[in-house]
Amino acid sequence: MKILVIVLLIIVTLVAAAFGFIYWQNSKAPELGHTDGLLTPLSGNPNGVSTQTADVAALILPWQFKADQATTMQSIKNALADYDGAKTEIVREDADYLRVVFVTPTMRFRDDAEFYLNTDTREVHFRSASRAGKSDLGLNRQRYERLTELYLR
């Protein structure tokens, strides 16, 4: 009986430590932004997507501009407003850059996303990655696909 109690205490301790680590990861906002038209590179974990990565598994296509930069930015914000997969918080907005955080409803996981509007190529570059965990089970790619549908309508 004593061994069973010790094993259960070890299991409870490990589970609590795992949740604590995930909570800590989830609360740390990464330093993001763009430099010379390039968004922050992905971490290498399979938990994100980007239009500016050499990793074929994480590569997505940029969006084309709408009529002009202001209309494009407004279309992105409209797509975010209509997105129903998570709560969306705008963290930073410039004329050519938008950073948002998606917060999942149940577990309150935070995913950071960025949009960079390249006026030279008339493309919207996108990066989205989970803060916590190694894998996102394809959620950031699904989010990109849904936002693409909303942006294009």
Side-chain angles (χ1 to χ4, degrees), residues 67-119:
D68 55 33
Q69 185 175 350
T71 304
T72 300
M73 182 62 80
Q74 188 58 53
S75 294
I76 294 169
K77 292 186 336 191
N78 291 344
L80 290 169
D82 292 342
Y83 179 73
D84 59 0
K87 179 182 170 194
T88 306
E89 301 170 358
I90 294 178
V91 176
R92 179 177 154 201
E93 181 178 351
D94 299 326
D96 66 348
Y97 178 79
L98 184 67
R99 177 177 176 186
V100 299
V101 174
F102 293 101
V103 182
T104 61
T106 306
M107 296 295 290
R108 311 243 346 120
F109 287 123
R110 295 177 171 275
D111 295 345
D112 295 283
E114 304 175 277
F115 301 85
Y116 171 67
L117 285 64
N118 186 324
T119 54

Side-chain angles (χ1 to χ4, degrees), residues 12-31:
V12 167
T13 302
L14 290 174
V15 168
F19 276 108
F21 181 70
I22 290 171
Y23 176 79
W24 174 76
Q25 278 185 317
N26 199 38
S27 65
K28 280 182 55 177
E31 292 198 27

